[in-house]
Amino acid sequence: MPVGIDDLAIYVPKLYVDCNDFAKARGIDPHKLEYGIGIRKMAIVDVNQDPACMAANACLKLMEKNGLQPQDIGRMYVATESGLDESKAMNSFVIGMLEQVYGEGSFEHAGGIECKFACVSGSYALYDNANWIRAEENNGKAAVVIVSDIAKYDIGSTAEYTQGAGAVAMLIKENPRLLAFDQKVTSTIITNEYDFYRPFGKETPLVNGNYSNLLYLIQVRKAFDSYKEKALRYGLIDLKDGESITDHIDLISVHLPYGRMGEKALAYLLRHEWRNLPRWKEVIREVGIEEPTPRDPRGTIESILADTEFMKADEKFRKLFMQTALYHEAFEKKMASSLKASELIGNLYTASMYMGFRSSLEFEYKRGTDLNGKRVGFGSYGSGSSAMVFSGVIQPSYKEIVSAMNLEEEIGTRMKVSMDEYEGLHRGIGRGLFDSINHSNKEFVLIKIGGKLTKKAGLREYVYTT
Ligand code: CAA
């Protein structure tokens, strides 16, 4: 029985920072942001928004567009790394909001938890819920997985231009209209790392930028090796002489902390996959230099990063590799369309890869690609760290969903904020909950947070604006 993503809906906050304004304020070349990072507009939340109301807004859209009632949903998981409470799960806030629309107690029959593992937890949530349905524990009901986050870094840091905010809600069902997951090939890797983490009570993460970039590449590649081994063993993919398994994956969606990271991940993966194939000769001919190797190929990430001679040579090789005809063709066919949303919204942590997947569906369809039967490979990464690689096949009925996709329309009219307004929102000064910049319409917003010294400390109240 095929199980997978039947439909998805997105919510993106209506405020954004224009990256030209940002570059000017920080004294950065705007080209660096547009081409070096891959960002033009960064979505930011208003004073009366948090990850729970973004999650509820995405879920309400998903339910309305599919005519779903709470009784149709047996499980709701919310994956986030922007948790609001050390104990109370974000889905309980979300259910509280949805019950304002569907009636008190209307979700009581359902179950679910909040999931955390940096940006990868949404993928674990999808996997667990797909298996809940495969195990026929679902009683004919669907599952909803919502990924929702606010990517917020310190002002003035080199990560500040990789912020963003938004949520994606996915409907998981048997016989899905959009994408059926491939079975038995999902592969994970997990280790204890401090590449990016946010200690209790701290609003912004501690980031080891270059370390996190390299770790991401290595972890996804290792999970991919395990995926490959399973895909061949179970006969999901049959390799002929000279072929790479990536030749059999039509679209690739990876975690996108920023768009350029997706391109780098694809380059890293293809170098790994093509290195021992006949086509590598053509690559080397075009690149014009041999691929460098680190002084200690079995070294740690620290020792590789400290090997500055290798790092410099490798960066040069990577950049030349990314200009070869073979890389360019693979990038254009498999990944380019998944980066379009990231450019307009920014980092969504847990939601980044799924916004990228949605972006690739819409923009591939718009450029006339027949998506029926196409295999999508997912490379999900969460700092700390874990990677999950899995795949799925686009179903014959995909057009029902994809033909109606319109990113700009679904985001809605947005308002550019000035750098002063952005910094005020970032620092949480100058505005109260009722002094939002945008006047929300037909969405959930936050109206009250119980004061720290009161009996209702941490209690959050939301309302659906009309
Ligand atoms: N024009 C065009 N490009 C330019 C340029 C210009 N004028 N100036 C610089 N660039 C390019 C650089 O060449 C570089 O390109 P490559 O990546 O292809 O080499 C790119 O812009 C980035 O520039 P820097 O190498 O100088 O990097 P930076 O100091 O701006 O920092 C970062 C980048 C490390 C990603 C930083 O933003 C950061 O720490 N971000 C947060 C951590 C992160 O996102 N890590 C990703 C992996 S971990 C993860 O994915 C989990 C998660 O969600 C956080």
Side-chain angles (χ1 to χ4, degrees):
M1 174 181 63
V3 175
I5 304 174
D6 185 73
D7 194 5
L8 39 76
I10 61 170
Y11 178 81
V12 177
K14 303 285 183 289
L15 305 182
Y16 73 91
V17 176
D18 186 288
C19 285
N20 285 318
D21 298 346
F22 185 92
K24 200 169 161 200
R26 298 284 177 267
I28 303 170
D29 179 355
H31 282 99
K32 171 171 179 170
L33 300 187
E34 187 163 353
Y35 303 108
I37 297 294
I39 181 88
R40 288 197 287 129
K41 293 177 179 177
M42 261 183 327
I44 55 163
V45 285
D46 213 327
V47 272
N48 58 354
Q49 294 187 299
D50 66 12
C53 62
M54 291 197 299
N57 285 324
C59 190
L60 183 63
K61 280 191 187 181
L62 183 74
M63 292 181 68
E64 285 180 345
K65 92 191 246 238
N66 286 285
L68 291 172
Q69 291 301 313
Q71 281 301 329
D72 301 319
I73 297 168
R75 267 183 163 201
M76 182 192 292
Y77 273 42
V78 179
T80 185
E81 56 180 296
S82 319
L84 299 170
D85 192 287
E86 309 294 5
S87 171
K88 185 174 159 65
M90 195 177 289
N91 24 355
S92 60
F93 293 106
V94 172
I95 279 167
M97 281 181 255
L98 292 171
E99 288 191 348
Q100 289 182 30
V101 175
Y102 292 100
E104 208 178 321
S106 52
F107 278 90
E108 201 178 46
H109 62 277
I113 51 166
E114 175 185 318
C115 309
K116 176 169 73 182
F117 203 132
C119 308
V120 74
S121 60
S123 304
Y124 279 95
L126 278 185
Y127 181 71
D128 289 358
N129 280 287
N131 285 330
W132 173 70
I133 295 172
R134 285 188 191 120
E136 298 181 15
E137 296 276 351
N138 61 324
N139 232 339
K141 295 190 193 297
V144 171
V145 170
I146 312 170
V147 277
S148 180
D149 265 311
I150 298 172
K152 183 172 181 178
Y153 292 94
D154 288 338
I155 288 183
S157 69
T158 56
E160 192 190 2
Y161 34 79
T162 67
Q163 299 181 110
V168 179
M170 291 172 275
L171 183 62
I172 314 305
K173 282 175 72 173
E174 49 207 52
N175 300 315
R177 286 170 296 171
L178 203 49
L179 179 102
F181 295 128
D182 290 324
Q183 267 183 269
K184 298 186 178 168
V185 289
T186 296
S187 297
T188 54
I189 177 155
I190 188 165
T191 50
N192 177 27
E193 294 281 357
Y194 279 93
D195 56 326
F196 165 109
Y197 60 106
R198 188 163 64 85
F200 282 142
K202 197 168 179 320
E203 220 190 349
T204 51
L206 298 166
V207 193
N208 192 348
N210 290 332
Y211 186 95
S212 72
N213 278 349
L214 185 55
L215 186 64
Y216 166 124
L217 299 175
I218 292 172
Q219 302 292 63
V220 171
R221 197 258 298 149
K222 283 185 179 170
F224 185 77
D225 279 346
S226 164
Y227 167 89
K228 183 163 89 176
E229 187 273 317
K230 290 181 192 170
L232 298 178
R233 179 154 46 95
Y234 290 113
L236 183 76
I237 292 172
D238 190 19
L239 278 193
K240 298 193 180 57
D241 276 356
E243 279 187 345
S244 152
I245 195 160
T246 50
D247 301 340
H248 295 262
I249 301 176
D250 305 291
L251 297 171
I252 297 183
S253 278
V254 293
H255 171 48
L256 295 174
Y258 52 99
R260 182 73 172 165
M261 188 71 212
E263 295 179 52
K264 291 207 268 195
L266 182 66
Y268 191 83
L269 202 61
L270 293 181
R271 281 170 66 182
H272 176 67
E273 283 302 306
W274 292 354
R275 201 169 278 137
N276 298 315
L277 298 181
R279 73 187 76 169
W280 194 241
K281 277 198 184 122
E282 194 185 324
V283 169
I284 293 297
R285 198 176 333 112
E286 216 184 324
V287 169
I289 54 172
E290 284 302 319
E291 191 180 29
T293 45
R295 256 198 315 265
D296 176 8
R298 291 174 158 271
T300 60
I301 295 182
E302 282 95 342
S303 75
I304 292 175
L305 288 172
D307 187 348
T308 47
E309 205 178 308
F310 164 74
M311 286 304 293
K312 234 169 121 185
D314 192 65
E315 200 169 304
K316 183 174 171 194
F317 184 90
R318 173 184 47 91
K319 284 187 172 161
L320 290 168
F321 174 74
M322 287 168 81
Q323 287 165 25
T324 61
L326 279 173
Y327 171 82
H328 191 71
E329 188 194 350
F331 171 71
E332 281 302 320
K333 267 193 181 161
K334 297 177 196 294
M335 181 173 277
S337 51
S338 77
L339 307 185
K340 288 185 187 288
S342 172
E343 200 178 290
L344 298 175
I345 304 167
N347 193 359
L348 306 176
Y349 289 161
T350 50
S352 290
M353 189 176 80
Y354 296 100
M355 188 65 84
F357 167 55
R358 189 221 163 281
S359 175
S360 83
L361 292 172
E362 175 178 341
F363 294 105
E364 283 302 319
Y365 179 76
K366 283 189 173 147
R367 71 179 191 188
T369 308
D370 178 6
L371 293 170
N372 185 18
K374 294 271 187 286
R375 173 156 285 123
V376 186
F378 295 88
S380 190
Y381 176 69
S383 293
S385 86
S386 179
M388 180 185 276
V389 169
F390 58 102
S391 59
V393 173
I394 298 180
Q395 298 299 289
S397 43
Y398 78 91
K399 280 189 192 160
E400 264 181 57
I401 314 282
V402 177
S403 62
M405 284 180 173
N406 186 327
L407 184 65
E408 302 245 2
E409 212 174 275
E410 284 169 55
I411 295 177
T413 309
R414 294 209 277 178
M415 199 188 287
K416 182 175 106 156
V417 293
S418 68
M419 284 302 287
D420 280 348
E421 284 170 322
Y422 153 69
E423 287 190 17
L425 287 170
H426 192 291
R427 295 195 160 97
I429 49 171
R431 284 176 188 274
L433 288 180
F434 288 99
D435 193 17
S436 62
I437 295 179
N438 182 49
H439 295 288
S440 313
N441 185 20
K442 289 198 166 33
E443 56 183 54
F444 295 107
V445 292
L446 183 60
I447 52 165
K448 197 170 179 184
I449 307 177
K452 276 188 184 145
L453 301 175
T454 68
K455 274 188 184 163
K456 292 191 169 178
L459 194 138
R460 287 177 175 250
E461 287 177 35
Y462 300 89
V463 74
Y464 186 65
T465 56
T466 48

